[in-house]
Amino acid sequence: MRDCSLAVTSMWALSFKLGVEVLAAVRLEILKEDIKTRARLGRLHTPHGMIETPVFMPVGTQATVKSMTPEELEEIGAGIILSNTYHLFLRPGPELIRAAGGLHSFMHWGGAILTDSGGFQVFSLGDLRRISEEGVEFRSHLDGSRQFLSPEIATEVQMVLGSDIVMAFDECAPYPCSHEYARDSSARTTRWAARCKETLGVSAGQALFGIVQGGTFKDLRRESAAGITALDLPGYAVGGLSVGEPKEVMYEILDDTVPLLPADRPRYLMGVGSPDALIEGVMRGIDMFDCVLPTRIARNGTALTRFGKLVVRNATVARDFSPIDPTCDCYTCRHYSRAYVRHLLKADEILGLRLMTIHNLRFLQNLMREIREAIAAERLPAYRREFFVGYGYPL
């Protein structure tokens, strides 16, 4: 595992104020910009190591990527993972994690961590929550107890967690929603982001990312981008997409919104992880992605392969002794057959879920590596065509 002492040695001078050096917790180094698209090749420098971008971040909601050990995550090539403030706030609680020395120590992970603010989870509770300017009062999905999260509390919890990247507390508008609802919601998100910035203050070890909201309304997205970028934060996310809208609508919003974000800061598209959307997002200038899709469908018995999705539970692979994906170099594909993994899944053996998860996450890490190589070789549109044809996506 990487040495957590990198927290001191991997930071760079950002500016000077009153003669005191202020260190940047996260910095994007852009190596190349694609001449045919808006794609960028870069390096994301964090207190816990450097990550090549564009990057897909596995989701470790409750301080674990389901069924994976930290050593296995490192083996598949993950340098940064995502954890969730809402879930860790409720269980085991920030004070226990503080006593453990922070989230990195608690979960034995030496790479970088991005923590979501919990906003999406809170607003997914529907009738179980009440929104005000101060924050959100809600009932815990665990025991029904009354809880409260505000921009200040969400930020303070993330400070205790010690994540490299802290996400601003935001309101994720549902799809569909009215223009009026999306307007009020995105304006509140901007005000909340300012409160998050004030709460975090000057932190040498953590970087605050703001979130652009506005639903599927381009005028509101532009207003939100203007307000969030005026805060001059280390990075910016596009939130509130991949929540039920058609992908064509998501791509239109990205076409309109991404150019409004500072070119020298990392750009993060939240909650997106299907292979086609990863490629399309990169071509529109996105540097970072996360999604539960690869781990969730793995537990349901579906594998991502070079030739499209493969439902390993199906009877058609019961006597198929080939790897899940013959082109894949993951531990699962090097050692086990489709027939064996199907047997494990049908027998409800935990190993089946683990082998599927290892494969799907490695598949996406390989996909992102190939995307980076295509940007470097100035052939990203050609790579898109080749991948889409093999996968069965329409061009």
Side-chain angles (χ1 to χ4, degrees):
M1 293 295 292
R2 285 172 287 265
D3 187 345
C4 289
S5 65
L6 286 172
V8 175
T9 60
S10 297
M11 297 182 289
W12 293 264
L14 176 65
S15 63
F16 290 84
K17 184 177 181 181
L18 300 178
V20 177
E21 185 178 11
V22 179
L23 300 178
V26 170
R27 175 176 67 92
L28 179 65
E29 176 189 4
I30 299 175
L31 303 177
K32 186 179 183 65
E33 296 183 352
D34 186 51
I35 59 176
K36 299 176 183 176
T37 69
R38 291 177 178 154
R40 301 116 62 86
L41 184 68
R43 294 173 180 155
L44 186 69
H45 298 277
T46 79
H48 289 87
M50 181 274 290
I51 300 102
E52 294 180 335
T53 61
V55 62
F56 175 81
M57 302 179 287
V59 176
T61 300
Q62 305 199 62
T64 177
V65 176
K66 290 188 185 299
S67 83
M68 297 280 285
T69 68
E71 290 79 11
E72 288 168 337
L73 287 170
E74 188 168 25
E75 183 178 344
I76 66 165
I80 179 171
I81 62 172
L82 179 146
S83 284
N84 184 264
T85 300
Y86 167 84
H87 288 282
L88 297 178
F89 171 69
L90 293 179
R91 182 176 58 193
E95 290 310 313
L96 187 144
I97 295 176
R98 186 201 301 273
L103 189 55
H104 287 89
S105 176
F106 184 54
M107 64 183 295
H108 181 55
W109 172 245
I113 298 176
L114 179 150
T115 43
D116 193 354
S117 69
F120 179 81
Q121 286 71 28
V122 167
F123 295 108
S124 298
L125 293 174
D127 293 339
L128 297 177
R129 50 89 171 134
R130 184 175 65 83
I131 306 169
S132 68
E133 187 65 24
E134 286 305 305
V136 184
E137 182 180 308
F138 62 96
R139 288 189 177 276
S140 166
H141 72 285
L142 296 175
D143 58 12
S145 61
R146 288 187 177 276
Q147 303 287 340
F148 181 75
L149 274 177
S150 66
E152 291 79 10
I153 294 173
T155 304
E156 289 167 357
V157 171
Q158 293 179 83
M159 293 170 73
V160 170
L161 298 178
S163 52
D164 301 80
I165 297 174
V166 171
M167 297 307 300
F169 193 59
D170 66 322
E171 179 179 353
C172 181
Y175 175 84
C177 70
S178 67
H179 186 276
E180 179 182 12
Y181 185 100
R183 180 197 65 206
D184 294 344
S185 171
S186 61
R188 184 182 295 116
T189 288
T190 301
R191 295 192 297 272
W192 282 357
R195 289 163 57 184
C196 292
K197 179 180 179 180
E198 182 177 358
T199 301
L200 185 63
V202 178
S203 173
Q206 295 180 287
L208 178 69
F209 280 25
I211 304 174
V212 176
Q213 290 288 354
T216 56
F217 303 100
K218 292 182 180 180
D219 60 326
L220 298 182
R221 287 283 175 176
R222 295 178 190 132
E223 290 178 12
S224 178
I228 293 293
T229 57
L231 296 173
D232 191 27
L233 301 174
Y236 298 94
V238 180
L241 294 177
S242 193
V243 292
E245 80 283 356
K247 284 185 176 177
E248 294 74 16
V249 173
M250 177 174 72
Y251 299 150
E252 288 178 11
I253 294 296
L254 291 177
D255 284 334
D256 203 60
T257 304
V258 174
L260 304 177
L261 305 179
D264 63 340
R265 311 292 166 87
R267 301 162 175 168
Y268 165 31
L269 178 56
M270 307 180 76
V272 170
S274 64
D276 57 332
L278 293 175
I279 295 173
E280 296 286 358
V282 168
M283 294 182 72
R284 287 162 172 81
I286 297 296
D287 307 300
M288 304 168 65
F289 303 84
D290 84 281
C291 192
V292 298
L293 179 140
T295 51
R296 178 172 290 168
I297 67 172
R299 297 193 299 277
N300 292 328
T302 300
L304 301 169
T305 81
R306 184 70 52 175
F307 316 103
K309 290 182 179 179
L310 173 69
V311 182
V312 181
R313 283 185 177 273
N314 283 355
T316 53
V317 302
R319 297 183 61 83
D320 187 342
F321 301 109
S322 62
I324 289 177
D325 184 342
T327 71
C328 181
D329 64 353
C330 78
Y331 173 81
T332 303
C333 290
R334 293 199 315 268
H335 298 287
Y336 302 102
S337 69
R338 296 176 177 184
Y340 178 66
V341 176
R342 177 181 184 272
H343 158 69
L344 295 175
L345 294 172
K346 298 294 285 185
D348 291 327
E349 288 289 344
I350 294 173
L351 180 59
L353 306 181
R354 283 177 35 74
L355 293 178
M356 290 287 291
T357 301
I358 289 170
H359 167 75
N360 279 354
L361 289 178
R362 178 60 177 170
F363 179 87
L364 290 188
Q365 293 298 323
N366 280 335
L367 173 65
M368 301 310 293
R369 174 182 53 78
E370 291 174 1
I371 289 172
R372 294 192 295 267
E373 291 172 351
I375 297 172
E378 298 181 358
R379 60 178 312 275
L380 184 57
Y383 175 81
R384 175 189 179 276
R385 288 193 299 273
E386 294 164 4
F387 185 89
F388 274 40
V389 168
Y391 204 87
Y393 286 130
L395 293 173

